Amino acid sequence: MALYEHVFLARQDLAQAQVDALAETATKIVEDMDGKVTKVETWGLRSLAYKIAKNRKAHYVMLNIDAPAGVVAELERQTQINEDIIRYMTVKVDELETGPSVMMRKQERSDRGDRGSRGGRDGDRGPRREREDANAGE
């Protein structure tokens, strides 16, 4: 069977439970047609680069799928019908990532907090020079 990554964007006004239900629906569609979902990642509510259907943000969800092509066609057909999903993309891959995806690693990196001193920007300047009297030149 072929390997796919399926990412969809759900409307911003949905609750997280509704987004999880959409992922469950997609998983059920794949599994009912003898496919297998190996991983589901919810990337959370993120800003879009541009407005899509009057939405500035969207919930991002990624599914790793191991299934024949007919399953993916049916999944995409069902995704198009759903009003809560504003965009989707399915990509055939040679192998599925085993660990967290790049988007999840990016979030972990941003959770590290303060990065400490940035050398040269934390007031490392020397004392201020006094200005010469402006009236002295007259």
Side-chain angles (χ1 to χ4, degrees):
M1 287 193 271
L3 304 172
Y4 299 93
E5 285 185 358
H6 178 76
V7 179
F8 66 87
L9 281 60
R11 288 192 344 238
Q12 64 186 0
D13 57 341
L14 297 179
Q16 187 61 44
Q18 291 171 305
V19 175
D20 294 340
L22 287 172
E24 278 297 315
T25 303
T27 302
K28 186 176 182 314
I29 291 168
V30 171
E31 290 175 351
D32 286 348
M33 298 183 69
D34 300 325
K36 189 168 58 173
V37 175
T38 58
K39 180 169 63 172
V40 177
E41 282 187 359
T42 303
W43 295 340
L45 186 65
R46 303 177 60 86
S47 295
L48 299 171
Y50 54 90
K51 274 187 178 182
I52 301 174
K54 299 182 182 178
N55 291 291
R56 290 200 177 277
K57 293 185 175 191
H59 294 274
Y60 284 65
V61 179
M62 183 188 77
L63 306 170
N64 281 349
I65 300 170
D66 183 5
V71 174
V72 174
E74 176 62 18
L75 177 62
E76 289 185 344
R77 188 184 74 79
Q78 293 287 340
T79 302
Q80 283 178 334
I81 293 171
N82 196 326
E83 294 176 353
D84 292 333
I85 297 175
I86 56 177
R87 281 282 195 281
Y88 69 91
M89 182 190 302
T90 307
V91 179
K92 186 174 182 178
V93 293
D94 294 330
E95 60 183 80
L96 297 172
E97 289 187 40
T98 54
S101 67
V102 174
M103 295 298 285
M104 295 302 283
R105 282 181 270 169
K106 188 172 162 183
Q107 285 178 349
E108 290 169 8
R109 188 173 64 234
S110 66
D111 290 344
R112 282 193 260 166
D114 187 31
R115 293 171 67 174
S117 176
R118 295 276 182 111
R121 293 193 213 159
D122 293 333
D124 291 353
R125 292 180 176 172
R128 265 182 115 160
R129 291 187 304 187
E130 295 295 322
R131 287 187 174 186
E132 294 180 24
D133 192 36
N135 296 334
E138 292 179 15

